Amino acid sequence: MPLVKQGRISRDDFVHVADDAELPGGGAVLMSEEVCHSVYSSLPRAFVHTSTFGENSLAMRAALATLEVLESEQLGSRSIEAGKYLQARLSDALRDFEMVKEVRGMGLLMGIEFQAPRQLRLRLPYQAFAAIHPAVFGQIVVMRLFRDSGFLTQICGNNFMVLKVAPPLVVTDEQLDAFVLAIRDVVGLAHAPGAFWSEALGLARRAFRG
């Protein structure tokens, strides 16, 4: 599904992709010799992925039905078009906020990367909460988006300053517009003293009590 969110149906649509990939629906794994030896190097390890690719007619039928819908409704193409629209709208809405570093991605799989503020009045609370935990800022963004507008998002596990933006393939332009307005409002709060940083203080207190 992540491939389709990037506007692709199979790995063959990508130019520089190695042969370490599974086939949709299970049944076979294409991999390099290095991966094969590291995963299936002995008999005990030969069953590492058995459950993933074991026979399951229901799962295979569901996979085939999914592929049929993806192709018949041209969701790959829709993902590219919607992604371009969303990225342009986000870039335009967030360009004036100094804590927004970049909006990037492909299709409907993108991220909003934040950075430390330059203004002293913003940098002081930001650094204070970052010292408690580097994920505090991102988690407040996630909390406000969900509580204020009902959008469920997530920050990246390997970079707490990146907010994942991965709407469903069937998302409408109206829903994308609503998300843009919601994230703009939350980022606007982060650039003003008050509610956003008070929320961070409350989260920090609960973390210490826990």
Side-chain angles (χ1 to χ4, degrees):
M1 198 62 69
L3 288 180
V4 183
K5 283 198 173 185
Q6 292 177 311
R8 308 294 190 267
I9 294 297
S10 75
R11 70 185 185 89
D12 294 329
D13 291 323
F14 292 91
V15 178
H16 303 294
V17 177
D19 288 334
D20 301 324
E22 67 177 85
L23 294 180
V29 185
L30 305 179
M31 65 184 68
S32 64
E33 184 177 359
E34 180 180 359
V35 171
C36 181
H37 288 323
S38 65
V39 176
Y40 303 104
S41 57
S42 63
L43 183 59
R45 291 190 56 79
F47 298 98
V48 169
H49 292 298
T50 299
S51 61
T52 302
F53 305 106
E55 294 183 8
N56 186 329
S57 58
L58 178 60
M60 293 180 183
R61 184 67 190 91
L64 290 174
T66 300
L67 289 175
E68 182 179 348
V69 171
L70 292 175
E71 293 182 356
S72 64
E73 298 188 11
Q74 299 181 328
L75 293 181
S77 300
R78 164 61 184 162
S79 178
I80 293 178
E81 296 173 2
K84 290 180 179 178
Y85 176 79
L86 177 58
Q87 189 164 358
R89 293 278 284 112
L90 285 171
S91 298
D92 182 63
L94 303 176
R95 70 176 60 191
D96 294 330
F97 295 110
E98 65 175 87
M99 294 183 69
V100 177
K101 180 179 180 180
E102 183 183 16
V103 178
R104 63 176 182 269
M106 180 183 295
L108 288 174
L109 199 60
M110 62 182 67
I112 301 171
E113 183 174 4
F114 297 94
Q115 61 187 357
R118 296 184 298 273
Q119 297 181 61
L120 182 61
R121 68 184 182 89
L122 298 177
R123 191 166 69 246
L124 289 178
Y126 172 86
Q127 291 178 339
F129 290 114
I132 297 173
H133 195 286
V136 169
F137 174 81
Q139 290 294 0
I140 297 302
V141 173
V142 169
M143 288 171 57
R144 294 299 301 236
L145 278 172
F146 184 70
R147 191 181 63 194
D148 298 348
S149 306
F151 288 104
L152 181 61
T153 55
Q154 185 182 34
I155 55 176
C156 291
N158 63 339
N159 187 343
F160 298 139
M161 295 300 286
V162 176
L163 179 74
K164 298 178 184 178
V165 181
L169 294 171
V170 294
V171 68
T172 65
D173 287 349
E174 290 75 17
Q175 291 169 332
L176 295 177
D177 290 338
F179 175 77
V180 171
L181 293 177
I183 187 65
R184 186 191 64 186
D185 290 345
V186 172
V187 174
L189 284 176
H191 284 74
F196 184 90
W197 297 106
S198 298
E199 188 99 45
L201 180 60
L203 183 64
R205 286 173 175 167
R206 289 193 292 272
F208 277 121
R209 286 200 298 267

